[in-house]
Amino acid sequence: MTAELDTWLILREPGKVPVQKGPFAARTIAATLREFMKERPNALITVLTWHDGGPSVQDGPECLEMIDGRAKHIAARHRRSTREAFGRTAV
């Protein structure tokens, strides 16, 4: 595995089996997250990164906010749509 391809997304949508997408290059993950949030507004998105010999798991909207602070409104909108899709207590 190369350092260039070390990030995957796990998408969970209401009533569907979780889907793993990737690997993606770490340098493109912000754009990839924005695209997935736009195309799958109901999905809970988990970012799985492999580095230093082990996995790192992070919430997709949180990851986007950390990478690109200007995308805070995108992350907030995605959280709202996910809460609506899963119900307030699920997210």
Side-chain angles (χ1 to χ4, degrees), residues 1-72:
M1 179 179 327
T2 68
E4 280 296 303
L5 298 174
D6 63 354
T7 305
W8 292 263
L9 299 180
I10 300 168
L11 307 166
R12 292 173 287 151
E13 295 181 273
K16 295 184 180 179
V17 175
V19 177
Q20 177 183 311
K21 300 287 186 179
F24 300 101
R27 71 182 184 287
T28 65
I29 199 63
T32 303
L33 279 168
R34 283 192 290 277
E35 179 182 340
F36 273 94
M37 286 179 189
K38 179 180 176 186
E39 296 300 321
R40 294 192 166 174
N42 296 335
L44 286 171
I45 301 174
T46 302
V47 178
L48 174 64
T49 306
W50 190 271
H51 59 86
D52 295 332
S56 173
V57 178
Q58 190 173 21
D59 176 62
E62 178 186 38
C63 183
L64 180 61
E65 287 177 325
M66 291 174 65
I67 295 169
D68 180 6
R70 297 169 299 165
K72 191 170 188 163

